[in-house]
Amino acid sequence: MLKRTKGSTHHLLIRKLYKPSNSHKHFVETQTAKGVEMANTTQFQPNTHNSSSDISRYLIVRPQNGGITDLFRFLVSADKASAAKFLEASDGDTFAAELLGGDDGGITPDHRWVIFVSIIVGKVLSVFGKPMEWSGCLFEFFLNFLSENGGLLGLICNLLQGKIVMARRGSETFISAIGYLDGRIDLYTSNSPVEGFSEPASGGMGLQLESGNRVLMDLCMMASKLAYENAKVVSNVMHFVDFYDCWNDNQKERSTQVFILCDKPKDANLILISFRGTEPFDADDWSTDFDYSWYEIPKLGKVHMGFLEALGLGNRANASTFQSLLQVNDTRFTSSNARTSEDSRTESEVEKIGSSDEKTLIPDMVEMTAYYAVRSKLKSLLNEHKAAKFIVTGHSLGGALAILFPTVLVLHEEREIMKRLLGVYTYGQPRVGNRQLGRYMEAHLDVPVPKYFRVVYCNDLVPRLPYDNKTFLYKHFGECLYYNSLYIEQKVDEEPNRNYFGILYLIPEYINAVWELIRSLIMGYTHGPEYKEGWLSVGLRVVGLAIPGISAHSPTNYVNSVRLGRERAISMATL
């Protein structure tokens, strides 16, 4: 980890972009006949209110309802009365008829077990939510308090001299636990310093953009880490544009964080959008990852309800809000804090959703929501920077939001914006929807070249959530860049042991956790000082001896995977 002296700013300072590498060029240029066919047959199609096939379906899992006895009856005897306490479905009696064993959307015995686990995790996290939050606040304060005073010895000296420096949450020197877990602030560059660059007339370094190259992968991973920091830390990055604390209707607070930046203040080539991921001590974030609730968007597929709520696209307390916000003819809406220049309606009109025949009002829409805030700013930036393209990225929960953002742009027929999409890069991303959703989006993200890159490291638990098997609805889509614990890259449709809890993988997981602990102690010697892991990262490896999937989720693994996931050496460059 990098050390900070008193008064210095320990943040991810991304000042320059470097030459793209050709190591992934063959992957980026791959175009299958299947993808071409899908692109020709799947178009931007509006949803209508008139067709009976467009009636939306949903399933909401409510862990807070019912007791342990009800939960046991639901699991063992498939008691409908007990199930009704935990589950809310759109089609009432029809769904209840499917409840004990049917089709996609119905609940088989195995399906009940998965929902049972989701409910148990939700109940446990609800109990430990506040203690987790308090522990996290105290732990992060302790880390920053030590750092501000120059470490343990510096703290003792300052204490003796009466010069204690207090850490201030929200300041430009207050770093998150993720920032201390991996303190690297550099990008790497390939061996040649010239290929792939252009020199703009205004000076500075221009970048010849190429989706899928290693530099963009590294930049996006660094930006995904940076999204865990506060606004003042983020504001020091490249040409910072804006930082948003957005309303999450599931958690009932401003817990969806996203920032936007450009590579240059004028005539930018690249606009980057980064969503914050699952915070280690946030029980609500973990509950969202384990949540099994879904909402079916007509003609698009089933989508994870918690992720839609995090983007501000509905509220499970009033499920009709999802339909209102996800209709194509509702895209005029923007929150009061993210008004577009084209929208001159009054505040009361902004609250109205859709056409005049719709009676539903969006609750809490005086609060800024991530999708509309980011879309509004992105439109403005694309108009300002005529040659710019944009990329979307995120780690963990942030990765789920990163892929859902362009998904809704496609749904809302934002063709001009989508033409400027360079790529979507996600790291340790959970599943966001069913196979139908995947097929729909592959048609728009794989042609003419792949734009969606889903990176998974080894035994990371989060990409295996929510649970999936041959009949369950949650499926990943797009080709996966999978890295094992030796950082050997494979391009696969699905990561091995896709549900993590496979018996055959149990022993290898723990053997691998031991190896990762040993590796963390020697990386600084075998790969150079920039790969040396600090005590916090090594401590997480120790936790991994009990729960390998948690330690594997660390951003450290993803930075190393991007940089070491090929045969030849990678030269490093400080930002």
Side-chain angles (χ1 to χ4, degrees):
M1 293 178 63
L2 299 180
K3 294 183 179 179
R4 253 190 321 130
T5 58
K6 176 182 176 182
S8 67
T9 303
H10 175 216
H11 48 65
L12 306 177
L13 197 57
I14 304 177
R15 296 286 185 189
K16 296 179 181 178
L17 297 178
Y18 296 95
K19 183 190 106 40
S21 165
N22 293 325
S23 65
H24 278 213
K25 191 173 182 179
H26 65 283
F27 174 56
V28 178
E29 294 177 348
T30 300
Q31 177 177 323
T32 64
K34 175 184 176 182
V36 174
E37 179 181 355
M38 292 169 67
N40 291 334
T41 58
T42 307
Q43 303 296 329
F44 291 88
Q45 300 230 356
N47 296 331
T48 64
H49 294 282
N50 299 323
S51 171
S52 61
S53 64
D54 287 341
I55 297 176
S56 299
R57 302 177 71 220
Y58 60 85
L59 173 68
I60 301 176
V61 181
R62 301 190 185 277
Q64 69 276 15
N65 296 344
I68 298 299
T69 303
D70 296 313
L71 189 57
F72 179 77
R73 287 175 179 170
F74 166 69
L75 177 65
V76 175
S77 62
D79 180 70
K80 291 184 180 181
S82 297
K85 293 182 179 180
F86 296 109
L87 305 177
E88 177 187 336
S90 53
D91 33 6
D93 294 339
T94 302
F95 185 83
E98 299 174 352
L99 189 62
L100 301 181
D103 334 83
D104 181 24
I107 301 182
T108 64
D110 286 342
H111 206 162
R112 289 200 305 273
W113 171 254
V114 174
I115 294 177
F116 171 83
V117 172
S118 177
I119 294 171
I120 287 292
V121 171
K123 285 184 174 295
V124 170
L125 289 173
S126 67
V127 172
F128 291 98
K130 284 300 179 182
M132 284 177 63
E133 180 182 347
W134 297 333
S135 299
C137 288
L138 183 61
F139 184 61
E140 286 190 339
F141 176 82
F142 173 73
L143 292 174
N144 283 274
F145 183 60
L146 279 181
S147 180
E148 291 283 0
N149 288 279
L152 184 59
L153 291 179
L155 176 61
I156 294 174
C157 290
N158 286 351
L159 182 62
L160 294 175
Q161 298 174 27
K163 297 180 179 180
I164 292 293
V165 180
M166 296 299 294
R168 293 182 296 110
R169 184 174 296 276
S171 69
E172 64 176 9
T173 59
F174 195 95
I175 308 302
S176 71
I178 295 294
Y180 282 104
L181 191 64
D182 189 295
R184 283 175 287 188
I185 60 172
D186 52 358
L187 291 177
Y188 68 78
T189 176
S190 61
N191 293 330
S192 170
V194 178
E195 182 184 354
F197 282 98
S198 61
E199 291 290 342
S202 59
M205 191 71 73
L207 175 65
Q208 179 179 325
L209 298 176
E210 180 186 64
S211 179
N213 69 71
R214 289 274 178 176
V215 172
L216 283 180
M217 288 180 66
D218 191 76
L219 171 65
C220 287
M221 185 57 235
M222 287 298 175
S224 296
K225 280 204 311 166
L226 181 63
Y228 289 94
E229 308 302 332
N230 67 67
K232 288 187 178 179
V233 173
V234 175
S235 64
N236 289 284
V237 179
M238 291 172 69
H239 172 55
F240 171 73
V241 176
D242 219 336
F243 182 97
Y244 302 97
D245 280 308
C246 297
W247 182 256
N248 183 326
D249 247 325
N250 185 19
Q251 300 178 11
K252 302 302 179 187
E253 60 182 353
R254 287 178 176 267
S255 59
T256 300
Q257 294 176 343
V258 55
F259 72 84
I260 305 175
L261 51 81
C262 298
D263 62 330
K264 294 180 293 183
K266 294 183 178 180
D267 299 321
N269 295 313
L270 182 67
I271 300 167
L272 185 146
I273 301 167
S274 181
F275 288 90
R276 192 213 71 195
T278 305
E279 291 192 304
F281 301 100
D282 192 324
D284 289 332
D285 281 355
W286 286 105
S287 294
T288 300
D289 289 336
F290 278 90
D291 187 14
Y292 202 69
S293 305
W294 51 261
Y295 178 84
E296 184 174 19
I297 303 173
K299 302 180 182 178
L300 183 64
K302 294 184 174 73
V303 186
H304 189 290
M305 185 174 286
F307 299 152
L308 287 175
E309 289 175 311
L311 280 177
L313 292 169
N315 175 4
R316 70 182 65 195
N318 181 3
S320 64
T321 56
F322 291 102
Q323 183 175 6
S324 298
L325 284 166
L326 292 169
Q327 296 300 322
V328 172
N329 61 354
D330 295 332
T331 58
R332 298 187 307 267
F333 172 79
T334 179
S335 75
S336 58
N337 292 327
R339 304 279 303 261
T340 61
S341 58
E342 299 82 15
D343 189 352
S344 60
R345 291 177 293 162
T346 65
E347 186 169 324
S348 62
E349 289 175 318
V350 169
E351 292 180 343
K352 299 283 186 178
I353 304 302
S355 59
S356 58
D357 62 327
E358 290 177 312
K359 299 179 180 180
T360 304
L361 294 178
I362 305 293
D364 300 320
M365 293 319 293
V366 294
E367 303 288 349
M368 182 173 59
T369 55
Y371 172 75
Y372 293 105
V374 173
R375 190 188 68 178
S376 176
K377 190 64 178 181
L378 179 59
K379 283 183 177 181
S380 174
L381 290 171
L382 291 175
N383 286 331
E384 179 182 352
H385 305 283
K386 299 299 184 182
K389 293 187 177 182
F390 74 97
I391 54 179
V392 193
T393 190
H395 169 258
S396 190
L397 170 63
L401 304 185
I403 186 57
L404 276 183
F405 178 71
T407 298
V408 182
L409 288 178
V410 169
L411 179 68
H412 282 174
E413 298 185 333
E414 296 285 358
R415 297 182 180 90
E416 295 304 315
I417 297 181
M418 288 299 294
K419 287 178 182 178
R420 309 275 290 273
L421 174 65
L422 178 64
V424 180
Y425 296 78
T426 70
Y427 305 87
Q429 168 214 314
R431 299 180 176 100
V432 298
N434 67 350
R435 196 180 303 280
Q436 181 185 357
L437 176 74
R439 288 170 178 165
Y440 184 94
M441 286 309 299
E442 283 173 346
H444 298 285
L445 296 177
D446 283 355
V447 179
V449 296
K451 296 184 180 71
Y452 175 35
F453 304 91
R454 184 173 65 85
V455 182
V456 175
Y457 171 76
C458 201
N459 294 320
D460 187 351
L461 170 64
V462 175
R464 276 88 174 178
L465 298 173
Y467 199 86
D468 157 60
N469 75 3
K470 293 181 180 179
T471 59
F472 294 172
L473 62 93
Y474 282 103
K475 308 287 181 183
H476 277 305
F477 61 90
E479 194 163 14
C480 169
L481 297 179
Y482 172 78
Y483 295 89
N484 66 16
S485 62
L486 298 176
Y487 306 123
I488 297 174
E489 178 189 294
Q490 296 174 274
K491 298 174 182 65
V492 296
D493 292 330
E494 184 76 55
E495 57 273 9
N497 187 22
R498 65 184 179 211
N499 287 314
Y500 182 75
F501 298 104
I503 299 298
L504 295 178
Y505 292 90
L506 188 62
I507 294 177
E509 283 173 1
Y510 284 96
I511 293 175
N512 202 69
V514 174
W515 153 242
E516 288 176 340
L517 175 60
I518 296 172
R519 183 187 63 191
S520 69
L521 299 174
I522 63 175
M523 280 284 283
Y525 302 101
T526 59
H527 291 79
E530 64 270 21
Y531 290 95
K532 182 180 179 180
E533 296 189 24
W535 65 268
L536 185 59
S537 183
V538 174
L540 184 59
R541 303 290 188 191
V542 174
V543 174
L545 298 177
I547 313 175
I550 299 297
S551 59
H553 192 56
S554 169
T556 302
N557 297 314
Y558 285 94
V559 176
N560 290 345
S561 294
V562 170
R563 297 180 176 187
L564 302 176
R566 55 180 179 171
E567 294 182 1
R568 66 190 181 91
I570 300 170
S571 60
M572 306 301 296
T574 300
L575 293 168

